[in-house]
Amino acid sequence: MEKVISKIVKYILEKKYPGVTDVEVTSERDYNSHFVDKKNNIKYNIFLTIDYSDFEPIRDSGNWDKLKSEIRNVVTMSGIDNYVNVYLNFSDEA
């Protein structure tokens, strides 16, 4: 499933956010929902790698929240009901 989500996210990024250079998707058990919903008790964490200077225009224009929301919406529309977190990895940090 991680590979599918990665492909979806890369498709979104290619069109609007060329500064993002890599996407990594990991999964983890959501122990809060384990007994409530055994089907969707996995959380997917999406890590976007971007240079800090490329991130500034996205953040300043308010597009960071839009990007996270767009990723979550498209993943959900593709039939994946699990919770999705979106994080940043800055490529130029020491």
Side-chain angles (χ1 to χ4, degrees):
M1 187 62 70
E2 289 88 345
K3 288 182 182 179
V4 172
I5 295 172
S6 179
K7 286 182 182 181
I8 292 168
V9 174
K10 285 180 181 179
Y11 177 78
I12 295 168
L13 297 171
E14 283 176 5
K15 304 297 180 191
K16 296 182 183 176
Y17 306 96
V20 178
T21 58
D22 194 24
V23 176
E24 179 187 353
V25 181
T26 63
S27 60
E28 64 183 55
R29 290 217 173 264
D30 181 356
Y31 292 102
N32 292 325
S33 70
H34 181 69
F35 297 105
V36 177
D37 185 355
K38 293 187 179 190
K39 180 182 174 191
N40 296 319
N41 70 336
I42 299 290
K43 289 192 276 189
Y44 290 102
N45 299 310
I46 299 171
F47 297 92
L48 309 178
T49 302
I50 189 169
D51 188 271
Y52 191 78
S53 61
D54 290 330
F55 176 64
E56 286 295 318
I58 295 173
R59 185 183 69 183
D60 292 345
S61 64
N63 282 336
W64 172 236
D65 288 331
K66 291 178 191 172
L67 171 58
K68 290 191 295 185
S69 186
E70 185 174 358
I71 289 171
R72 289 183 185 122
N73 290 341
V74 174
V75 168
T76 300
M77 285 183 352
S78 69
I80 301 168
D81 293 333
N82 306 65
Y83 190 76
V84 172
N85 298 306
V86 182
Y87 302 104
L88 280 178
N89 282 331
F90 290 110
S91 61
D92 64 347
E93 285 193 345

